[in-house]
Structures are given as C-alpha cells and as structure tokens.
Amino acid sequence: PAYLLPVWRMFMVTGIRKNELVQMRFADVDLERKIVTVRNSTAKNGKAREIPLDDEMLATIAKLQAEAPSSTAWTNGPAHVRDKAAANLSRDHIFVTGANTPWRHNLLRAFYVCCKRAKIEGAERRGSVDIHSLRVTFTTLSIDHGASPKAVQAILGHSTLTMTMGIYAKATERSKRDAI
C-alpha cells in the first residue's frame, strides 16, 4: 500500500531499527541540516545519534507532516468512541498506519503481508527474512557501494566496527569481484 512506501524507504536508506522508526517524530527531523536524530530514549544503546537523509526522504517527510491530520479532525460517532480514537491519532509521529495511529508490533505484520504479496521466500515468523533484514541490506549495500565502514557504523549506532562488519556487512558477488 502507498502509505507503507515511506516506511520501507526509510528502512532502506537509513538502516534504522524498527523501534527507532516507530517512535520517530517530526520534531526529530532537521530539514535544514538534512538529518534525523534518533533520541537517546529510543536508541537501543541509549545514545542519541544523527542520521543523514537524502533529498527524496526529506521531501517525503515534509509531505507526511503537511498531510498529518490533527486529532480534532475526528468528528464521527459517539463521544466515547471519538475521544478514544482521537487519543490514538498522532500528529507527531512520522510513520503511522492507514488509520493515522503510531505503528507498533503491527508493522511487523504489515512487513510479512507485503513480503508474501511480493512472493519473498522465508519472510514469515521465524523465517530467514524479517524486518531486521532491511538493516542488514542497508549495511551491505552501503559498504558495497563505497561507503566508509566507520560512517556506516555511526549511522547504525554500533559501538564497534567489528559489530558492523562482522554481523551486518555481507560479502556480495560485486564486492568479491572488486576485491580481485
């Protein structure tokens, strides 16, 4: 679905973790500096970091912000239903469901549904492909296309280069040929 394209793109161009993405807010983005800050409260290691964004991702985030409805826009139904729905709406979160509520565990379900439609083998619970595979793919492709391993380490928020290179960076056919 179209509302998921920005989510998948953000994973692929930043290598961000799922929990960092679902908690990301518009206030975390600096459009002038072209970065998003992963807050220390959402980072896995508790350390804030900045991730550069490309122009297309910045434009997408700006568009999502302009289109974000306010919680006062919910006017249908009984008052108790309206109040509950309005409380779940988010104008602050960048990536939201089709109902404009923050993603949580349902993002993983959406990932598996999209993979099934795309006929990606191994994309199922306890399978060989999961949402974290997007982070591994980001790392592998970044290094394979000439990115500095230290820069990739900083983007991912790893404390050691060994973690980035040993676990995340995979040898590709291209990188093996380039080595020869």
Side-chain angles (χ1 to χ4, degrees), residues 88-161:
N88 288 327
L89 290 176
S90 179
R91 185 163 175 74
D92 298 325
H93 289 85
I94 297 174
F95 302 104
V96 293
T97 67
N100 197 49
T101 57
W103 285 105
R104 290 195 172 60
H105 298 297
N106 48 355
L107 183 57
L108 185 58
R109 282 192 297 271
F111 175 77
Y112 288 136
V113 168
C114 288
C115 288
K116 185 176 182 177
R117 285 184 190 158
K119 296 181 170 78
I120 296 173
E121 293 182 28
E124 64 228 357
R125 293 196 185 279
R126 294 182 203 70
S128 59
V129 176
D130 62 11
I131 208 162
H132 196 74
S133 298
L134 300 174
R135 187 168 163 86
V136 175
T137 300
F138 164 80
T139 306
T140 302
L141 291 176
S142 295
I143 291 171
D144 196 37
H145 285 85
S148 156
K150 285 299 282 182
V152 175
Q153 174 193 350
I155 290 168
L156 295 175
H158 290 157
S159 58
T160 67
L161 188 56

Side-chain angles (χ1 to χ4, degrees), residues 65-75 85-86 89-92 100:
Q65 187 171 25
E67 294 172 352
S70 69
S71 59
T72 58
W74 187 272
T75 57
L89 290 176
S90 179
R91 185 163 175 74
D92 298 325
N100 197 49

